Amino acid sequence: MSCSPFDLRDYFLKELTDPQQRQVEDHVTTCSSCFEEMEQLRLTEAALFSLRDEELPQRIAFVSDKIFEPSPVRRWWTAFWASGARLGFAGAAMLSVAILVSAMTRPAPAPERVIVERTVVQPVSDTEMKTRVDAAVAQAMAGVEQRHAAETRQIKTDLEDARRRLLLAAEYSERKDKRTQTARVGLYDLPEDK
Amino acid sequence: MIFRAVEDTDLIRQAARGSVEAYNLLVSRWEKRVYNYLLRLARNREDALDLTQDVFLKAYQNLRKLDDPGRFAPWLYRIAHNEAYSMFRKRRPESDVEEIEPERLEAAMSAGQSDVFPIELGLAVSKALDRLSPDQREAVVLKIYQGFKFEEMSEILSCPVSTVKSRVYSALELLKLELAPVKARGLS
């Protein structure tokens, strides 16, 4: 178990910050067991680095090499789609061309015809006009007379009803008076000496 | 410190806009690292070369999908990892990837050893790496040889950082037990 303030392996693997590294270095100079552990790790690292990196047996093919070179059409197509601004401009240009072509090829629309139905008034003679007016007046008068006759009948009926109710009321009143008089006579005629 | 006239991020942006020359330069900068990573996974030069070619072609086709050019390295190695494991599965669809036998392992691994170290050490390293599980070996390759951080490895291997750490630590313990004594003998 190491007594180092930080893990010696982290120091060895360069995972500590600079102040932490210095703390470990200071500790290792005074602690024999940690010094021994650090030596073991250094020997291990030195052994591992005895295996050096190899050079490549042949160079990696660049994307600019012929085998990777796309066709000019494909390059143009890729570059075209890669640029948003260019794509937007191309879209606007296509729209403009479409509008222009549409305007040039299609005939201008004719103004809509407004169909007005005309009423043809035939000339009417004075005689005919007089006959029509007389007929219209007669029709109107007949209507008025009918309406008046109906109203008169209604008024007569109402009056008859009113007269009948009055007669009944008078008769009822007369009978009532007679009964009252009879009762008074009976009352005054009571025998006094009994 | 090496100052580059053009940074990788600039090349990636130019390549994403369709600059083939920028991508070619990017390939020339990364091909050796990717090849050696794949060589240590596939343990066969021809396979590693074919895979490297496929990785860079696929990366070129998908470069526009890379949102952050600063994450190019993990992204590229993720492609390499997927391509390698895809090939392993095609080769042995009926068996587990972990059961794949190393092909000409010792020849491949010792071919790159330094002349200043004894052959014994190179063989010992090859054998020690071979004793690791494929996951542990890949973790060691990414961490020790390729210098990735745990978080980047998590992205490449598509697994949690804790899993990555566990693989690296366990592999390191095994390698230390095997290699430290050999190396110490070589130095003495």
Side-chain angles (χ1 to χ4, degrees):
Chain A
M1 184 73 184
S2 172
C3 55
S4 171
F6 299 100
D7 195 321
L8 290 176
R9 292 170 300 186
D10 284 342
Y11 172 84
F12 169 72
L13 296 169
K14 299 176 183 61
E15 287 285 344
L16 298 179
T17 61
D18 287 344
Q20 290 171 339
Q21 295 258 23
R22 278 195 292 276
Q23 282 187 58
V24 173
E25 284 163 7
D26 290 344
H27 173 77
V28 167
T29 55
T30 59
C31 176
S32 59
S33 65
C34 288
F35 178 80
E36 181 63 27
E37 174 69 12
M38 189 65 80
E39 279 301 301
Q40 295 282 309
L41 289 170
R42 283 185 182 135
L43 287 170
T44 306
E45 183 184 41
L48 286 169
F49 277 114
S50 69
L51 290 182
R52 289 181 179 174
D53 279 353
E54 287 190 24
E55 292 296 329
L56 274 76
Q58 65 185 67
R59 84 169 176 85
I60 295 297
F62 288 157
V63 287
S64 57
D65 289 353
K66 284 288 180 190
I67 54 167
F68 294 124
E69 191 174 338
S71 67
V73 174
R74 184 162 180 78
R75 271 184 293 172
W76 177 86
W77 188 246
T78 306
F80 177 79
W81 284 102
S83 169
R86 196 181 299 169
L87 198 62
F89 181 76
M94 283 178 67
L95 189 62
S96 304
V97 169
I99 292 169
L100 193 65
V101 169
S102 173
M104 291 180 73
T105 53
R106 286 183 59 186
E112 288 185 11
R113 289 183 177 180
V114 179
I115 299 169
V116 180
E117 290 185 4
R118 290 180 181 175
T119 307
V120 178
V121 180
Q122 298 291 336
V124 181
S125 65
D126 291 343
T127 316
E128 179 70 18
M129 179 62 76
K130 190 173 181 305
T131 308
R132 288 183 184 179
V133 170
D134 289 346
V137 169
Q139 191 177 358
M141 288 299 290
V144 169
E145 283 177 2
Q146 279 182 353
R147 200 165 62 247
H148 283 179
E151 286 174 359
T152 306
R153 277 197 299 277
Q154 184 63 39
I155 289 167
K156 281 173 73 177
T157 309
D158 292 345
L159 285 172
E160 190 64 31
D161 286 345
R163 180 174 159 273
R164 198 179 301 120
R165 277 197 294 275
L166 282 169
L167 286 174
L168 284 170
E171 189 179 354
Y172 173 75
S173 177
E174 191 179 352
R175 285 179 186 171
K176 193 177 175 184
D177 287 345
K178 279 181 180 175
R179 277 203 299 275
T180 308
Q181 199 171 10
T182 308
R184 279 181 185 164
V185 170
L187 183 64
Y188 293 128
D189 289 344
L190 285 172
E192 292 178 356
D193 52 346
K194 208 170 184 182
Chain B
M1 183 179 284
I2 299 169
F3 289 99
R4 285 174 164 171
V6 185
E7 291 295 326
D8 279 357
T9 50
D10 297 325
L11 290 176
I12 292 158
R13 287 194 187 96
Q14 288 178 32
R17 286 197 290 267
S19 170
V20 175
E21 290 75 20
Y23 191 71
N24 288 343
L25 186 53
L26 207 56
V27 170
S28 65
R29 285 183 182 179
W30 284 89
E31 61 182 3
K32 187 177 174 183
R33 288 186 62 185
V34 172
Y35 169 75
N36 276 280
Y37 164 66
L38 290 166
L39 178 62
R40 283 170 178 142
L41 286 191
R43 290 177 286 177
N44 178 290
R45 288 189 183 86
E46 284 181 15
D47 288 343
L49 192 63
D50 290 345
L51 285 170
T52 307
Q53 183 71 71
D54 294 344
V55 167
F56 282 106
L57 186 60
K58 189 161 269 188
Y60 182 72
Q61 289 166 341
N62 293 282
L63 202 55
R64 290 177 206 283
K65 295 177 186 170
L66 177 63
D67 296 327
D68 180 8
R71 310 292 300 169
F72 176 71
W75 178 79
L76 184 67
Y77 275 73
R78 175 75 190 148
I79 295 173
H81 169 88
N82 287 343
E83 286 293 309
Y85 275 77
S86 175
M87 186 195 76
F88 296 157
R89 284 189 207 96
K90 281 179 193 164
R91 291 267 172 88
R92 298 280 179 88
E94 73 282 358
S95 66
D96 189 3
V97 169
E98 296 191 6
E99 293 173 6
I100 293 174
E101 289 295 321
E103 184 181 341
R104 290 179 287 164
L105 166 69
E106 291 190 4
M109 299 304 278
S110 60
Q113 78 184 40
S114 167
D115 294 334
V116 298
F117 291 99
I119 294 171
E120 182 193 358
L121 181 59
L123 289 173
V125 172
S126 299
K127 284 179 181 173
L129 287 170
D130 190 38
R131 286 198 187 96
L132 301 176
S133 71
D135 286 341
Q136 286 175 327
R137 188 165 50 247
E138 188 175 16
V140 167
V141 170
L142 287 170
K143 186 67 199 170
I144 308 286
Y145 291 106
Q146 303 291 333
F148 282 108
K149 294 284 179 190
F150 284 144
E151 283 194 11
E152 292 173 321
M153 290 172 64
S154 162
E155 197 177 324
I156 294 166
L157 301 172
S158 191
C159 64
V161 172
S162 57
T163 306
V164 171
K165 277 187 177 180
S166 170
R167 287 177 189 173
V168 173
Y169 288 164
S170 58
L172 201 57
E173 288 301 315
L174 291 170
L175 291 171
K176 191 177 71 178
L177 287 172
E178 292 259 342
L179 298 177
V182 178
K183 179 66 181 169
R185 277 204 309 275
L187 291 175
S188 60

